[in-house]
Amino acid sequence: MKNLFDVSGKVAVVSGGSSGIGAMMARGLVENGAKVYITARKEERLMAMAEELSKLGECIAIPADLSNVAGIEDFVAAVSERESKVDILINNAGANWAAPIEAFPEKGWDKVMDINIKAIFFATQKFLPLLKSSGNADDPARVINIASINGIRNSGMPTYAYSASKSGVIHLTEHLATDLASYHINVNAIAPGFFPSNMTKQIVENDGMTKMAISQIPRGRMGAPEDIAGTALYLCSRASSWLVGQTIALDGGMISRP
């Protein structure tokens, strides 16, 4: 029982790991002994995060554009050159676009869909050989998809592609979980609520908007790094080996409120 949450020695990949909740999850894994690969498109910020996390353990940065299959294949090839297996794949990279329905552009819709849902499917597909090499009946490989509570409810904001894509992540998680369980690969998702990140920067930096957002959270605060890191550790460890196809709403009770 003392080793239920142990991830030491595991190889993890975190997309969108240069900032926000991706960096929070990567830090939690590194601090607990995992070897973590992080990727993002903005190389300077990615390298800076890898340097910071490398002070705590082993973190390797590989810049990549996961919005297209060619970019995903290049990234998987780079990891494959270094590793014979991947124990943990966290599909976290995400994008958002807000515009009134009358003016919502096709390029905004496509950008969000390419990063938020297409990239999850094809990254999982291309990493399958490495994930299959890791998983076994007692300790399956793990895929964690990052959804959002706005894929469960109406956010009240004109982020139509984001809401649709995150709802798709939840259903895709269930579908992949069913198909991959026989390969000893557990697929689950996290649907975060209000966490400090680039996507919530405008809210976090505005006291009035922050107070309004927090007023909607029964727990009375925004999410902390420990909240997302702890949930990721649970989903990556022996503690969750019997959990398959589930989405955890990590929102301080927002979904549950009347």
Side-chain angles (χ1 to χ4, degrees):
M1 294 292 286
K2 291 187 295 183
N3 298 320
L4 276 179
F5 298 92
D6 183 22
V7 294
S8 59
K10 291 185 177 292
V11 176
V13 173
V14 182
S15 69
S18 64
S19 63
I21 64 174
M24 296 174 196
M25 291 185 289
R27 180 183 295 272
L29 289 165
V30 168
E31 286 185 328
N32 284 276
K35 179 180 182 181
V36 180
Y37 289 86
I38 59 173
T39 187
R41 286 180 295 173
K42 296 181 179 179
E43 185 171 350
E44 184 176 350
R45 187 164 64 185
L46 179 69
M47 295 304 179
M49 181 55 64
E51 182 178 355
E52 179 181 334
L53 295 182
S54 292
K55 298 173 184 176
L56 307 172
E58 193 168 6
C59 182
I60 301 161
I62 301 177
D65 181 359
L66 304 185
S67 65
N68 58 81
V69 174
I72 293 169
E73 289 176 336
D74 289 344
F75 175 58
V76 174
V79 175
S80 298
E81 290 176 0
R82 297 165 172 83
E83 304 294 338
S84 60
K85 67 180 179 67
V86 165
D87 304 298
I88 300 159
L89 172 62
I90 300 182
N91 290 310
N92 166 74
N96 198 1
W97 195 293
I101 188 168
E102 297 86 354
F104 203 98
E106 182 181 11
K107 67 177 183 180
W109 184 273
D110 290 346
K111 175 184 177 180
V112 172
M113 288 294 178
D114 284 348
I115 292 292
N116 289 8
I117 187 71
K118 185 176 81 173
I120 286 180
F121 177 80
F122 284 104
T124 304
Q125 179 195 71
K126 302 305 178 184
F127 269 111
L128 267 181
L130 292 175
L131 291 165
K132 288 179 180 179
S133 294
S134 164
N136 59 64
D138 293 327
D139 190 12
R142 313 303 170 96
V143 175
I144 301 171
N145 299 325
I146 303 304
S148 169
I149 61 166
N150 293 337
I152 302 172
R153 56 152 206 176
N154 184 347
S155 68
M157 299 180 288
T159 52
Y160 303 103
Y162 184 82
S163 298
S165 67
K166 293 301 185 178
S167 179
V169 170
I170 293 169
H171 192 73
L172 179 61
T173 295
E174 296 175 357
H175 198 153
L176 289 173
T178 303
D179 292 351
L180 300 185
S182 62
Y183 296 117
H184 305 307
I185 300 171
N186 283 11
V187 185
N188 291 289
I190 303 173
F194 182 30
F195 279 81
S197 70
N198 287 331
M199 286 191 187
T200 60
K201 186 177 180 181
Q202 289 184 322
I203 298 175
V204 172
E205 293 180 350
N206 183 302
D207 288 341
M209 293 177 71
T210 298
K211 289 179 181 178
M212 181 173 292
I214 291 177
S215 72
Q216 303 299 310
I217 305 173
R219 288 283 284 109
R221 64 169 176 83
M222 72 176 74
E226 295 80 6
D227 297 319
I228 190 75
T231 304
L233 286 170
Y234 165 64
L235 291 177
C236 293
S237 67
R238 177 67 179 82
S240 66
S241 64
W242 196 237
L243 188 72
V244 178
Q246 300 302 304
T247 296
I248 297 174
L250 193 63
D251 64 351
M254 292 179 71
I255 293 296
S256 302
R257 66 175 289 140

